[in-house]
Amino acid sequence: MRRKRVVYGVAAAIGGIILLNVGLSFSDAFDRTDGGQVAVVRNGGPFDDRNIRQVIQPASGLTWIGWYSESHKYPSQQRFYTITADPKGGDRPGVDVVHTPSADGVNMGIEGTLYFSLNTDDKTLRDFDTKFGTRTFTAANGNAYHAYDGDAGWSAFLDQIIRPVIDNDLREQIGNFRCAELVSSCALVQNGGSSPASTGGTGTNNNSNIAAVQNAINTSLAQDLQSTLGDKFLVDLRFNLVRVTLPDNVQSAVDQAQAAFAAVSEAQAKVAQAKAEAQANLIRQQGYAACPACATIDEMKAIPPTVTTFAPGSGFAVTK
């Protein structure tokens, strides 16, 4: 009897473990997506292949995905990728920094944002998962992620695959303009630099040139990304070029030049003021020569109200 009880106990334990595994597996055989997610489901059973089973569109209900299948979830809503000339800014400090040379060799800093969405077409998503969901990407922290591994994985994918295309487009477009055509103050420290007054009128041209860069990038980026990725995986692309900045050493030289021009302008103003005062004194003196009494009257008017006695010469005095 005792032996039978042991056998029954072991059988019950094994049965319980089996039922527990079946229950857990059964719960894992269902999945759903949030409003901002789309899922590509791949077979994962012990006797299954690893092909794509189905695509679950955003905000789905509870969906049967099969035993041991794996859901690769990607963002379906609009996303953005920020680049900045400030190493402390952007989505990931120290990563989102773009510097590219102008036509005259000045290393310009670029600040802007790329807005885009993942193409949620069924066939396109299947191709995307096959091409990019089956490999890993190294993030800035050195860890390897799949593109569907949350924000870290998606960011690693953008850094390694999308970022080089953006950098290349920026390099091509910025390289069509000289530094002063994008940032007018750059002319202050280049050969033949002019005063701020002579360069200040180019602000409108700078804005037009920056707008031209932005428009050119918006035209070329969609084509370049489709060519690089192999399909139209990203849609609704729009690049917003916020501003173009100068390197720290160039900006420092600009600040010094502007301070020097300010000092020169101040000195020139003082010279002009002195000349005006001298001319006024000359005219005033000529008037007094023609009207001596006028000189005396003006002299009397100039007496401070606190003076009680005024005696400019012998035999003449005024007492209040």
PDB file of all heavy atoms in Angstrom, residues 148-177:
ATOM      1  N   TYR A 148      12.431  45.116 -31.772  1.00  0.00           N
ATOM      2  CA  TYR A 148      11.160  45.027 -31.065  1.00  0.00           C
ATOM      3  C   TYR A 148      11.344  44.983 -29.540  1.00  0.00           C
ATOM      4  O   TYR A 148      10.363  44.810 -28.809  1.00  0.00           O
ATOM      5  CB  TYR A 148      10.359  43.806 -31.529  1.00  0.00           C
ATOM      6  CG  TYR A 148      11.118  42.490 -31.497  1.00  0.00           C
ATOM      7  CD1 TYR A 148      11.270  41.778 -30.308  1.00  0.00           C
ATOM      8  CD2 TYR A 148      11.676  41.953 -32.650  1.00  0.00           C
ATOM      9  CE1 TYR A 148      11.963  40.579 -30.270  1.00  0.00           C
ATOM     10  CE2 TYR A 148      12.374  40.765 -32.628  1.00  0.00           C
ATOM     11  CZ  TYR A 148      12.513  40.072 -31.442  1.00  0.00           C
ATOM     12  OH  TYR A 148      13.219  38.894 -31.406  1.00  0.00           O
ATOM     13  N   ASP A 149      12.571  45.175 -29.051  1.00  0.00           N
ATOM     14  CA  ASP A 149      12.827  45.146 -27.612  1.00  0.00           C
ATOM     15  C   ASP A 149      12.550  46.497 -26.960  1.00  0.00           C
ATOM     16  O   ASP A 149      13.438  47.134 -26.376  1.00  0.00           O
ATOM     17  CB  ASP A 149      14.270  44.717 -27.335  1.00  0.00           C
ATOM     18  CG  ASP A 149      14.507  43.238 -27.587  1.00  0.00           C
ATOM     19  OD1 ASP A 149      13.533  42.474 -27.499  1.00  0.00           O
ATOM     20  OD2 ASP A 149      15.653  42.862 -27.863  1.00  0.00           O
ATOM     21  N   GLY A 150      11.318  46.971 -27.080  1.00  0.00           N
ATOM     22  CA  GLY A 150      10.932  48.219 -26.432  1.00  0.00           C
ATOM     23  C   GLY A 150      11.644  49.431 -27.004  1.00  0.00           C
ATOM     24  O   GLY A 150      12.192  49.399 -28.116  1.00  0.00           O
ATOM     25  N   ASP A 151      11.669  50.506 -26.216  1.00  0.00           N
ATOM     26  CA  ASP A 151      12.295  51.745 -26.668  1.00  0.00           C
ATOM     27  C   ASP A 151      13.792  51.588 -26.885  1.00  0.00           C
ATOM     28  O   ASP A 151      14.360  52.185 -27.808  1.00  0.00           O
ATOM     29  CB  ASP A 151      12.042  52.873 -25.649  1.00  0.00           C
ATOM     30  CG  ASP A 151      10.599  53.341 -25.647  1.00  0.00           C
ATOM     31  OD1 ASP A 151       9.911  53.124 -26.663  1.00  0.00           O
ATOM     32  OD2 ASP A 151      10.160  53.923 -24.641  1.00  0.00           O
ATOM     33  N   ALA A 152      14.441  50.801 -26.048  1.00  0.00           N
ATOM     34  CA  ALA A 152      15.890  50.603 -26.193  1.00  0.00           C
ATOM     35  C   ALA A 152      16.215  49.936 -27.524  1.00  0.00           C
ATOM     36  O   ALA A 152      17.156  50.335 -28.224  1.00  0.00           O
ATOM     37  CB  ALA A 152      16.426  49.773 -25.027  1.00  0.00           C
ATOM     38  N   GLY A 153      15.435  48.905 -27.877  1.00  0.00           N
ATOM     39  CA  GLY A 153      15.680  48.203 -29.142  1.00  0.00           C
ATOM     40  C   GLY A 153      15.360  49.066 -30.350  1.00  0.00           C
ATOM     41  O   GLY A 153      16.107  49.088 -31.332  1.00  0.00           O
ATOM     42  N   TRP A 154      14.253  49.801 -30.267  1.00  0.00           N
ATOM     43  CA  TRP A 154      13.857  50.660 -31.388  1.00  0.00           C
ATOM     44  C   TRP A 154      14.878  51.775 -31.597  1.00  0.00           C
ATOM     45  O   TRP A 154      15.241  52.103 -32.731  1.00  0.00           O
ATOM     46  CB  TRP A 154      12.472  51.223 -31.140  1.00  0.00           C
ATOM     47  CG  TRP A 154      11.891  51.991 -32.278  1.00  0.00           C
ATOM     48  CD1 TRP A 154      11.642  53.319 -32.338  1.00  0.00           C
ATOM     49  CD2 TRP A 154      11.495  51.464 -33.557  1.00  0.00           C
ATOM     50  NE1 TRP A 154      11.109  53.666 -33.563  1.00  0.00           N
ATOM     51  CE2 TRP A 154      11.005  52.540 -34.323  1.00  0.00           C
ATOM     52  CE3 TRP A 154      11.496  50.182 -34.111  1.00  0.00           C
ATOM     53  CZ2 TRP A 154      10.534  52.380 -35.623  1.00  0.00           C
ATOM     54  CZ3 TRP A 154      11.024  50.028 -35.411  1.00  0.00           C
ATOM     55  CH2 TRP A 154      10.549  51.112 -36.147  1.00  0.00           C
ATOM     56  N   SER A 155      15.376  52.338 -30.497  1.00  0.00           N
ATOM     57  CA  SER A 155      16.384  53.397 -30.598  1.00  0.00           C
ATOM     58  C   SER A 155      17.695  52.858 -31.171  1.00  0.00           C
ATOM     59  O   SER A 155      18.352  53.535 -31.965  1.00  0.00           O
ATOM     60  CB  SER A 155      16.639  54.014 -29.219  1.00  0.00           C
ATOM     61  OG  SER A 155      15.488  54.670 -28.736  1.00  0.00           O
ATOM     62  N   ALA A 156      18.069  51.652 -30.777  1.00  0.00           N
ATOM     63  CA  ALA A 156      19.291  51.048 -31.322  1.00  0.00           C
ATOM     64  C   ALA A 156      19.156  50.831 -32.828  1.00  0.00           C
ATOM     65  O   ALA A 156      20.106  51.059 -33.592  1.00  0.00           O
ATOM     66  CB  ALA A 156      19.580  49.725 -30.609  1.00  0.00           C
ATOM     67  N   PHE A 157      17.976  50.395 -33.266  1.00  0.00           N
ATOM     68  CA  PHE A 157      17.717  50.238 -34.702  1.00  0.00           C
ATOM     69  C   PHE A 157      17.839  51.565 -35.432  1.00  0.00           C
ATOM     70  O   PHE A 157      18.487  51.665 -36.480  1.00  0.00           O
ATOM     71  CB  PHE A 157      16.322  49.638 -34.902  1.00  0.00           C
ATOM     72  CG  PHE A 157      15.755  49.834 -36.271  1.00  0.00           C
ATOM     73  CD1 PHE A 157      16.252  49.133 -37.360  1.00  0.00           C
ATOM     74  CD2 PHE A 157      14.726  50.747 -36.485  1.00  0.00           C
ATOM     75  CE1 PHE A 157      15.734  49.329 -38.638  1.00  0.00           C
ATOM     76  CE2 PHE A 157      14.202  50.951 -37.750  1.00  0.00           C
ATOM     77  CZ  PHE A 157      14.714  50.237 -38.829  1.00  0.00           C
ATOM     78  N   LEU A 158      17.244  52.633 -34.870  1.00  0.00           N
ATOM     79  CA  LEU A 158      17.319  53.948 -35.500  1.00  0.00           C
ATOM     80  C   LEU A 158      18.763  54.441 -35.572  1.00  0.00           C
ATOM     81  O   LEU A 158      19.185  54.999 -36.591  1.00  0.00           O
ATOM     82  CB  LEU A 158      16.463  54.949 -34.727  1.00  0.00           C
ATOM     83  CG  LEU A 158      14.950  54.720 -34.725  1.00  0.00           C
ATOM     84  CD1 LEU A 158      14.255  55.767 -33.850  1.00  0.00           C
ATOM     85  CD2 LEU A 158      14.379  54.752 -36.136  1.00  0.00           C
ATOM     86  N   ASP A 159      19.510  54.243 -34.493  1.00  0.00           N
ATOM     87  CA  ASP A 159      20.894  54.719 -34.463  1.00  0.00           C
ATOM     88  C   ASP A 159      21.752  54.048 -35.534  1.00  0.00           C
ATOM     89  O   ASP A 159      22.571  54.700 -36.187  1.00  0.00           O
ATOM     90  CB  ASP A 159      21.517  54.454 -33.083  1.00  0.00           C
ATOM     91  CG  ASP A 159      21.022  55.436 -32.035  1.00  0.00           C
ATOM     92  OD1 ASP A 159      20.504  56.505 -32.419  1.00  0.00           O
ATOM     93  OD2 ASP A 159      21.147  55.137 -30.832  1.00  0.00           O
ATOM     94  N   GLN A 160      21.578  52.756 -35.716  1.00  0.00           N
ATOM     95  CA  GLN A 160      22.456  52.018 -36.624  1.00  0.00           C
ATOM     96  C   GLN A 160      21.985  52.026 -38.076  1.00  0.00           C
ATOM     97  O   GLN A 160      22.808  51.994 -38.984  1.00  0.00           O
ATOM     98  CB  GLN A 160      22.601  50.561 -36.148  1.00  0.00           C
ATOM     99  CG  GLN A 160      23.492  50.428 -34.931  1.00  0.00           C
ATOM    100  CD  GLN A 160      24.080  49.029 -34.795  1.00  0.00           C
ATOM    101  OE1 GLN A 160      23.745  48.107 -35.543  1.00  0.00           O
ATOM    102  NE2 GLN A 160      24.957  48.856 -33.829  1.00  0.00           N
ATOM    103  N   ILE A 161      20.704  52.092 -38.304  1.00  0.00           N
ATOM    104  CA  ILE A 161      20.181  51.967 -39.671  1.00  0.00           C
ATOM    105  C   ILE A 161      19.704  53.303 -40.235  1.00  0.00           C
ATOM    106  O   ILE A 161      20.001  53.643 -41.393  1.00  0.00           O
ATOM    107  CB  ILE A 161      19.023  50.945 -39.717  1.00  0.00           C
ATOM    108  CG1 ILE A 161      19.502  49.586 -39.192  1.00  0.00           C
ATOM    109  CG2 ILE A 161      18.498  50.798 -41.147  1.00  0.00           C
ATOM    110  CD1 ILE A 161      20.654  48.979 -39.979  1.00  0.00           C
ATOM    111  N   ILE A 162      18.964  54.065 -39.453  1.00  0.00           N
ATOM    112  CA  ILE A 162      18.362  55.303 -39.961  1.00  0.00           C
ATOM    113  C   ILE A 162      19.320  56.483 -39.848  1.00  0.00           C
ATOM    114  O   ILE A 162      19.413  57.313 -40.763  1.00  0.00           O
ATOM    115  CB  ILE A 162      17.050  55.611 -39.211  1.00  0.00           C
ATOM    116  CG1 ILE A 162      16.115  54.393 -39.262  1.00  0.00           C
ATOM    117  CG2 ILE A 162      16.376  56.831 -39.801  1.00  0.00           C
ATOM    118  CD1 ILE A 162      15.773  53.935 -40.664  1.00  0.00           C
ATOM    119  N   ARG A 163      20.041  56.562 -38.743  1.00  0.00           N
ATOM    120  CA  ARG A 163      20.907  57.722 -38.495  1.00  0.00           C
ATOM    121  C   ARG A 163      21.941  57.951 -39.600  1.00  0.00           C
ATOM    122  O   ARG A 163      22.143  59.099 -40.039  1.00  0.00           O
ATOM    123  CB  ARG A 163      21.593  57.565 -37.139  1.00  0.00           C
ATOM    124  CG  ARG A 163      22.533  58.702 -36.768  1.00  0.00           C
ATOM    125  CD  ARG A 163      21.784  60.053 -36.772  1.00  0.00           C
ATOM    126  NE  ARG A 163      22.638  61.097 -36.282  1.00  0.00           N
ATOM    127  CZ  ARG A 163      22.747  61.420 -35.000  1.00  0.00           C
ATOM    128  NH1 ARG A 163      22.060  60.770 -34.085  1.00  0.00           N
ATOM    129  NH2 ARG A 163      23.536  62.392 -34.633  1.00  0.00           N
ATOM    130  N   PRO A 164      22.634  56.933 -40.106  1.00  0.00           N
ATOM    131  CA  PRO A 164      23.615  57.187 -41.169  1.00  0.00           C
ATOM    132  C   PRO A 164      23.009  57.825 -42.414  1.00  0.00           C
ATOM    133  O   PRO A 164      23.669  58.634 -43.084  1.00  0.00           O
ATOM    134  CB  PRO A 164      24.178  55.784 -41.472  1.00  0.00           C
ATOM    135  CG  PRO A 164      23.971  55.022 -40.213  1.00  0.00           C
ATOM    136  CD  PRO A 164      22.673  55.522 -39.670  1.00  0.00           C
ATOM    137  N   VAL A 165      21.772  57.474 -42.737  1.00  0.00           N
ATOM    138  CA  VAL A 165      21.111  58.061 -43.910  1.00  0.00           C
ATOM    139  C   VAL A 165      20.836  59.544 -43.662  1.00  0.00           C
ATOM    140  O   VAL A 165      21.039  60.394 -44.546  1.00  0.00           O
ATOM    141  CB  VAL A 165      19.805  57.309 -44.232  1.00  0.00           C
ATOM    142  CG1 VAL A 165      19.144  57.900 -45.478  1.00  0.00           C
ATOM    143  CG2 VAL A 165      20.078  55.825 -44.440  1.00  0.00           C
ATOM    144  N   ILE A 166      20.371  59.876 -42.442  1.00  0.00           N
ATOM    145  CA  ILE A 166      20.121  61.279 -42.089  1.00  0.00           C
ATOM    146  C   ILE A 166      21.422  62.072 -42.164  1.00  0.00           C
ATOM    147  O   ILE A 166      21.479  63.169 -42.732  1.00  0.00           O
ATOM    148  CB  ILE A 166      19.513  61.385 -40.683  1.00  0.00           C
ATOM    149  CG1 ILE A 166      18.171  60.647 -40.618  1.00  0.00           C
ATOM    150  CG2 ILE A 166      19.333  62.847 -40.289  1.00  0.00           C
ATOM    151  CD1 ILE A 166      17.572  60.596 -39.226  1.00  0.00           C
ATOM    152  N   ASP A 167      22.490  61.522 -41.574  1.00  0.00           N
ATOM    153  CA  ASP A 167      23.783  62.206 -41.573  1.00  0.00           C
ATOM    154  C   ASP A 167      24.276  62.466 -42.992  1.00  0.00           C
ATOM    155  O   ASP A 167      24.795  63.549 -43.293  1.00  0.00           O
ATOM    156  CB  ASP A 167      24.827  61.372 -40.824  1.00  0.00           C
ATOM    157  CG  ASP A 167      24.582  61.369 -39.320  1.00  0.00           C
ATOM    158  OD1 ASP A 167      23.665  62.078 -38.872  1.00  0.00           O
ATOM    159  OD2 ASP A 167      25.309  60.661 -38.605  1.00  0.00           O
ATOM    160  N   ASN A 168      24.104  61.483 -43.859  1.00  0.00           N
ATOM    161  CA  ASN A 168      24.568  61.633 -45.234  1.00  0.00           C
ATOM    162  C   ASN A 168      23.799  62.729 -45.967  1.00  0.00           C
ATOM    163  O   ASN A 168      24.392  63.549 -46.691  1.00  0.00           O
ATOM    164  CB  ASN A 168      24.421  60.299 -45.977  1.00  0.00           C
ATOM    165  CG  ASN A 168      24.978  60.368 -47.382  1.00  0.00           C
ATOM    166  OD1 ASN A 168      26.178  60.540 -47.591  1.00  0.00           O
ATOM    167  ND2 ASN A 168      24.112  60.244 -48.380  1.00  0.00           N
ATOM    168  N   ASP A 169      22.486  62.765 -45.766  1.00  0.00           N
ATOM    169  CA  ASP A 169      21.680  63.807 -46.409  1.00  0.00           C
ATOM    170  C   ASP A 169      22.046  65.195 -45.894  1.00  0.00           C
ATOM    171  O   ASP A 169      22.134  66.159 -46.670  1.00  0.00           O
ATOM    172  CB  ASP A 169      20.190  63.538 -46.174  1.00  0.00           C
ATOM    173  CG  ASP A 169      19.615  62.571 -47.199  1.00  0.00           C
ATOM    174  OD1 ASP A 169      20.336  61.614 -47.543  1.00  0.00           O
ATOM    175  OD2 ASP A 169      18.487  62.770 -47.658  1.00  0.00           O
ATOM    176  N   LEU A 170      22.262  65.308 -44.595  1.00  0.00           N
ATOM    177  CA  LEU A 170      22.654  66.594 -44.028  1.00  0.00           C
ATOM    178  C   LEU A 170      24.011  67.034 -44.565  1.00  0.00           C
ATOM    179  O   LEU A 170      24.217  68.215 -44.887  1.00  0.00           O
ATOM    180  CB  LEU A 170      22.707  66.504 -42.499  1.00  0.00           C
ATOM    181  CG  LEU A 170      21.358  66.453 -41.781  1.00  0.00           C
ATOM    182  CD1 LEU A 170      21.547  66.134 -40.301  1.00  0.00           C
ATOM    183  CD2 LEU A 170      20.613  67.767 -41.946  1.00  0.00           C
ATOM    184  N   ARG A 171      24.940  66.103 -44.659  1.00  0.00           N
ATOM    185  CA  ARG A 171      26.276  66.431 -45.165  1.00  0.00           C
ATOM    186  C   ARG A 171      26.206  66.937 -46.601  1.00  0.00           C
ATOM    187  O   ARG A 171      26.862  67.922 -46.963  1.00  0.00           O
ATOM    188  CB  ARG A 171      27.193  65.201 -45.078  1.00  0.00           C
ATOM    189  CG  ARG A 171      28.627  65.472 -45.531  1.00  0.00           C
ATOM    190  CD  ARG A 171      29.536  64.294 -45.249  1.00  0.00           C
ATOM    191  NE  ARG A 171      29.088  63.083 -45.935  1.00  0.00           N
ATOM    192  CZ  ARG A 171      28.518  62.052 -45.319  1.00  0.00           C
ATOM    193  NH1 ARG A 171      28.312  62.091 -44.011  1.00  0.00           N
ATOM    194  NH2 ARG A 171      28.148  60.982 -45.996  1.00  0.00           N
ATOM    195  N   GLU A 172      25.391  66.293 -47.414  1.00  0.00           N
ATOM    196  CA  GLU A 172      25.268  66.712 -48.811  1.00  0.00           C
ATOM    197  C   GLU A 172      24.640  68.101 -48.929  1.00  0.00           C
ATOM    198  O   GLU A 172      25.102  68.935 -49.710  1.00  0.00           O
ATOM    199  CB  GLU A 172      24.430  65.691 -49.584  1.00  0.00           C
ATOM    200  CG  GLU A 172      25.129  64.362 -49.831  1.00  0.00           C
ATOM    201  CD  GLU A 172      24.276  63.426 -50.657  1.00  0.00           C
ATOM    202  OE1 GLU A 172      23.122  63.803 -50.990  1.00  0.00           O
ATOM    203  OE2 GLU A 172      24.752  62.319 -50.984  1.00  0.00           O
ATOM    204  N   GLN A 173      23.603  68.361 -48.151  1.00  0.00           N
ATOM    205  CA  GLN A 173      22.884  69.635 -48.285  1.00  0.00           C
ATOM    206  C   GLN A 173      23.640  70.792 -47.641  1.00  0.00           C
ATOM    207  O   GLN A 173      23.717  71.881 -48.224  1.00  0.00           O
ATOM    208  CB  GLN A 173      21.479  69.512 -47.681  1.00  0.00           C
ATOM    209  CG  GLN A 173      20.615  68.451 -48.345  1.00  0.00           C
ATOM    210  CD  GLN A 173      20.489  68.655 -49.844  1.00  0.00           C
ATOM    211  OE1 GLN A 173      20.482  69.790 -50.328  1.00  0.00           O
ATOM    212  NE2 GLN A 173      20.400  67.570 -50.600  1.00  0.00           N
ATOM    213  N   ILE A 174      24.207  70.588 -46.462  1.00  0.00           N
ATOM    214  CA  ILE A 174      24.977  71.647 -45.804  1.00  0.00           C
ATOM    215  C   ILE A 174      26.212  71.979 -46.623  1.00  0.00           C
ATOM    216  O   ILE A 174      26.655  73.133 -46.687  1.00  0.00           O
ATOM    217  CB  ILE A 174      25.367  71.225 -44.378  1.00  0.00           C
ATOM    218  CG1 ILE A 174      24.118  71.041 -43.506  1.00  0.00           C
ATOM    219  CG2 ILE A 174      26.302  72.264 -43.734  1.00  0.00           C
ATOM    220  CD1 ILE A 174      23.301  72.289 -43.319  1.00  0.00           C
ATOM    221  N   GLY A 175      26.770  70.985 -47.294  1.00  0.00           N
ATOM    222  CA  GLY A 175      27.959  71.190 -48.108  1.00  0.00           C
ATOM    223  C   GLY A 175      27.729  72.056 -49.334  1.00  0.00           C
ATOM    224  O   GLY A 175      28.693  72.435 -50.011  1.00  0.00           O
ATOM    225  N   ASN A 176      26.482  72.398 -49.626  1.00  0.00           N
ATOM    226  CA  ASN A 176      26.182  73.267 -50.765  1.00  0.00           C
ATOM    227  C   ASN A 176      26.261  74.751 -50.407  1.00  0.00           C
ATOM    228  O   ASN A 176      26.137  75.597 -51.286  1.00  0.00           O
ATOM    229  CB  ASN A 176      24.774  72.960 -51.300  1.00  0.00           C
ATOM    230  CG  ASN A 176      24.690  71.593 -51.957  1.00  0.00           C
ATOM    231  OD1 ASN A 176      25.654  71.112 -52.534  1.00  0.00           O
ATOM    232  ND2 ASN A 176      23.530  70.965 -51.862  1.00  0.00           N
ATOM    233  N   PHE A 177      26.448  75.056 -49.127  1.00  0.00           N
ATOM    234  CA  PHE A 177      26.437  76.448 -48.684  1.00  0.00           C
ATOM    235  C   PHE A 177      27.699  76.770 -47.891  1.00  0.00           C
ATOM    236  O   PHE A 177      28.239  75.910 -47.193  1.00  0.00           O
ATOM    237  CB  PHE A 177      25.209  76.723 -47.801  1.00  0.00           C
ATOM    238  CG  PHE A 177      23.896  76.578 -48.508  1.00  0.00           C
ATOM    239  CD1 PHE A 177      23.231  75.362 -48.528  1.00  0.00           C
ATOM    240  CD2 PHE A 177      23.330  77.661 -49.172  1.00  0.00           C
ATOM    241  CE1 PHE A 177      22.016  75.219 -49.179  1.00  0.00           C
ATOM    242  CE2 PHE A 177      22.125  77.522 -49.839  1.00  0.00           C
ATOM    243  CZ  PHE A 177      21.464  76.306 -49.846  1.00  0.00           C
TER     244      PHE A 177
END
